Amino acid sequence: MTQNIILNHQEIEFKIKRIAYQIYETFINDEEIIIAGIHGNGSVFAQKLSNVLKSISPLKVTLCEVMIDKKNPNSTITTSIDKSLYENKGLVLVDDVLNSGTTLIYGVKHFLDVPLNKFKTAVLVDRNHKKYPVKADFKGISLSTSILEHVQVVFEENNDYAYLE
């Protein structure tokens, strides 16, 4: 299979900045927000969003890593911070690619056990092939692909890119 670059490093940087501004605009009346990245590339994307948010806004940004077994999402989900730290706060659940929606919906389910002020989702690439009724509130790019195609995001220092194969 061949690789088709769908986002280069500069485009990803622009998408991250735009999404960060959208998040700030949504949470402008809050003092603090939680950016919860799904383990792996979701966490890397969350870190990048968090860095931009800290540079453009006065919001206190707390980073959280969400550990989900993507092959068995119904198993126990854990977070790197205690539930009490995100209770009654605004939260953005972040992943790199929204494929079928399985990982994101189980992540949403986990956070619904705790009262939140506001709850949003963010992805870099939305593939539009969902099995579950979950949507990305903030997305870098929407891509209609065939079910056989695969989207991969690569985060390397000064060389981020996303490709379709």
Side-chain angles (χ1 to χ4, degrees), residues 69-115:
D69 180 350
K70 291 186 179 192
K71 289 185 172 67
N72 184 18
N74 211 16
S75 62
T76 303
I77 295 172
T78 59
T79 56
S80 62
I81 63 173
D82 191 76
K83 286 181 180 184
S84 63
L85 294 175
Y86 50 82
E87 194 171 290
N88 298 313
K89 296 199 173 98
L91 187 138
V92 181
L93 182 60
V94 177
D95 205 1
D96 61 338
V97 179
L98 176 53
N99 283 311
S100 67
T102 305
T103 305
L104 208 56
I105 201 143
Y106 279 95
V108 166
K109 177 181 174 254
H110 171 79
F111 286 104
L112 290 178
D113 290 339
V114 175

Side-chain angles (χ1 to χ4, degrees), residues 11-21 45 48-50 52 124 140 155 160:
E11 291 167 330
I12 289 174
E13 294 287 306
F14 286 142
K15 304 283 186 207
I16 289 169
K17 194 169 204 172
R18 179 181 48 78
I19 292 169
Y21 273 102
F45 184 41
K48 290 175 179 285
L49 280 171
S50 173
V52 174
L124 184 59
F155 289 115
D160 302 337

Side-chain angles (χ1 to χ4, degrees), residues 17-82:
K17 194 169 204 172
R18 179 181 48 78
I19 292 169
Y21 273 102
Q22 289 176 302
I23 291 170
Y24 177 38
E25 190 175 272
T26 301
F27 293 91
I28 198 160
N29 295 321
D30 296 36
E31 291 179 17
E32 178 181 2
I33 62 167
I34 310 300
I35 303 294
I38 293 173
H39 180 73
N41 273 355
S43 289
V44 176
F45 184 41
Q47 177 69 60
K48 290 175 179 285
L49 280 171
S50 173
N51 291 344
V52 174
L53 271 166
K54 288 175 183 175
S55 73
I56 65 169
S57 78
L59 291 169
K60 177 182 181 212
V61 180
T62 302
L63 206 55
C64 171
E65 186 169 22
V66 183
M67 277 63 81
I68 297 177
D69 180 350
K70 291 186 179 192
K71 289 185 172 67
N72 184 18
N74 211 16
S75 62
T76 303
I77 295 172
T78 59
T79 56
S80 62
I81 63 173
D82 191 76

Side-chain angles (χ1 to χ4, degrees), residues 5-16 48 124 154-162:
I5 302 294
I6 54 175
L7 290 172
N8 63 33
H9 181 74
Q10 186 177 21
E11 291 167 330
I12 289 174
E13 294 287 306
F14 286 142
K15 304 283 186 207
I16 289 169
K48 290 175 179 285
L124 184 59
V154 177
F155 289 115
E156 297 175 342
E157 193 167 334
N158 298 318
N159 187 30
D160 302 337
Y161 60 97

